Amino acid sequence: MRLLYSKPSPYSSKVRMSAHLCGIELDCVSTDTSAEGDDLLRTNPIGKIPALELDDGSTLYDSRVICEYLDRVSGNLLIPQGLEAWTLCKRIEALADGLTEAVMATLYEVRYRPEEKRHQPWVDKQWRRAHRALDVLEGDLAHLPAEPSLAHFAVASDLGWIQLRYPGTFEEKNPGLVRWLEAFYAANPAYEAMKPAA
Ligand SMILES: N[C@@H](CCC(=O)N[C@@H](CS)C(=O)NCC(=O)O)C(=O)O
């Protein structure tokens, strides 16, 4: 299977970590979304990564759908199936991804919008959203078992991306998140090479 991805992309990082846990090897193709190339648009008409091309040529996007697929084909190695554990796992994934979406919106505001057209109240709203999510995440992680699952990969990827793009955002205010990340990589060193990187 071919994964269109980029090294800094947090959603791609989540998929790569998930595939590793599922024992699925992906042919990872570095993809620049701003080029809107044919390969990307054929794989995902939305023009975003991660996008997966299956061995039969069919395609899947976005990261949540790809991870659900990896879980299914691996016989549920990625997502716990008991209702309580499933609920916690999927809620944490949604929270971590929503956090990233908010912070990414602020990055795109600077990257793609001319300065005179930026709307600071909207940016402030995204940061309020992000800080609420970070606070709740810090509490939720206390309930997550040590054994890695989709929730772990979503959190490690999304926090890793924030540390890459906006270092210092949560380290002081949410030290529990820093401790959690350190413990995760100490117990699961293989995943460190897949975290978002420049
Ligand atoms: N909900 C999507 C979000 C994917 C996404 O936003 N990917 C970013 C890179 S991390 C992207 O492709 N951005 C390019 C763009 O928005 O044009 C997912 O979970 O896969």
Side-chain angles (χ1 to χ4, degrees), residues 9-12 14 33 47-50 62-64 97 101 104 108 112:
S9 159
Y11 303 109
S12 303
K14 179 180 65 167
T33 52
K48 291 190 181 191
I49 51 169
D62 56 12
S63 69
R64 288 197 208 174
D97 284 0
E101 203 179 295
M104 203 172 279
Y108 286 178
Y112 297 118

Side-chain angles (χ1 to χ4, degrees), residues 79-109:
I79 303 172
Q81 296 297 294
L83 188 58
E84 209 175 306
W86 180 91
T87 307
L88 180 66
C89 177
K90 294 297 285 182
R91 189 176 64 231
I92 288 180
E93 182 194 23
L95 186 61
D97 284 0
L99 157 67
T100 298
E101 203 179 295
V103 180
M104 203 172 279
T106 72
L107 181 74
Y108 286 178
E109 179 83 359

